[in-house]
């Protein structure tokens, strides 16, 4: 698996492409925006986007969905506990930073559910704390974890927004440490 990071959106959010180099299939993770340079890259590389995975429903991870869907007819996935945030601009914080954004057509996931995408198995790990429905996507065969705002380099996601919980994020982090191999690339 080749992982490419693009910094997008109004607060510089990491958006990832998880790419199967053999088949050119790709998964988009956390599209904060849909900038032309990212779309040009996808097209110039001949990538076939299969899905959009959301680590949670905050605006800075979802506002690029419509742009991607205008180019690629793919499913959008998010944990079921962030269903409210996907459809409420106050909960997803978009009404604070923009004129508001919602997306009501996501497919909802549960803890430990797996998705077969781009030739890989993505396992959902529910990691509440940053939001009720924060989750990580673990690709065991590749030893890769997409953590969203659950885990940063040297820090964790904020817990002071609606649905956030310091106690929950601590439990979620302990769960990750206790269950994932030490050499997992985050």
């Amino acid at each position: 698996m080749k992982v490419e990071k693009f910094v997008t959106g109004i607060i510089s959010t990491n958006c990832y492409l998880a790419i199967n180099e053999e088949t050119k299939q790709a998964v988009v993770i956390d599209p904060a925006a849909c900038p032309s340079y990212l779309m040009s890259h996808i097209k110039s590389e001949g990538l076939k986007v299969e899905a959009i995975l959301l680590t949670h429903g905050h605006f800075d991870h979802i506002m690029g969905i419509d742009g991607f869907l205008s180019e690629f007819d793919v499913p959008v996935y998010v944990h079921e506990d962030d269903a409210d945030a996907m459809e409420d601009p106050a909960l997803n914080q978009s009404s604070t930073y923009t004129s508001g954004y919602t997306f009501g057509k996501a497919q909802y996931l549960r803890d430990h559910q797996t998705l077969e995408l781009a030739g890989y198995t993505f396992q959902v790990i529910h990691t509440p704390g940053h939001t009720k429905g924060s989750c990580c996507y673990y690709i065991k065969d590749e030893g890769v974890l997409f953590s969203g705002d659950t885990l940063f380099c040297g820090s964790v996601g904020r817990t002071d927004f609606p649905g956030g919980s310091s106690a929950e994020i601590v439990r979620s982090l302990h769960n990750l440490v206790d269950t994932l191999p030490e050499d997992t690339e985050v």
Side-chain angles (χ1 to χ4, degrees):
M1 172 184 287
K2 180 179 181 183
V3 177
E4 295 180 337
K5 178 180 83 170
F6 296 83
V7 179
T8 66
I10 63 175
I11 62 170
S12 300
T13 301
N14 291 331
C15 172
Y16 294 94
L17 295 179
I19 302 166
N20 183 323
E21 292 183 281
E22 292 178 17
T23 66
K24 298 286 190 179
Q25 295 167 296
V27 175
V28 176
I29 300 151
D30 290 340
C34 185
S36 59
Y37 65 85
L38 176 52
M39 296 307 286
S40 293
H41 175 74
I42 290 169
K43 290 176 182 178
S44 70
E45 294 294 314
L47 301 178
K48 298 171 234 157
V49 175
E50 286 203 338
I52 296 172
L53 300 181
L54 305 173
T55 58
H56 63 288
H58 279 158
F59 81 99
D60 60 316
H61 291 252
I62 68 173
M63 287 190 65
I65 293 171
D66 291 339
F68 277 93
L69 294 181
S70 71
E71 296 287 330
F72 307 102
D73 183 22
V74 298
V76 176
Y77 297 99
V78 68
H79 190 276
E80 64 186 351
D81 288 352
D82 265 6
D84 290 343
M86 295 297 294
E87 298 189 44
D88 184 334
L91 287 177
N92 70 35
Q93 302 291 303
S94 65
S95 62
T96 302
Y97 296 92
T98 72
S99 59
Y101 177 79
T102 62
F103 183 80
K105 298 176 187 171
Q107 295 182 37
Y108 297 110
L109 302 170
R110 294 191 172 125
D111 192 26
H112 302 295
Q113 187 172 341
T114 59
L115 296 168
E116 300 295 327
L117 300 167
Y120 301 103
T121 302
F122 289 76
Q123 179 186 359
V124 178
I125 302 174
H126 186 212
T127 54
H130 180 60
T131 68
K132 291 179 187 179
S134 288
C135 70
C136 297
Y137 296 98
Y138 180 54
I139 302 90
K140 182 179 179 179
D141 291 342
E142 299 296 314
V144 172
L145 179 79
F146 293 96
S147 67
D149 288 356
T150 296
L151 182 62
F152 298 130
C153 182
S155 186
V156 298
R158 293 176 64 168
T159 58
D160 59 329
F161 293 134
S165 167
S166 296
E168 286 289 325
I169 206 164
V170 167
R171 279 191 286 278
S172 294
L173 294 171
H174 281 291
N175 178 50
L176 290 175
V177 169
D178 292 344
T179 59
L180 297 179
E182 282 187 37
D183 62 347
T184 302
E185 186 176 343
V186 181

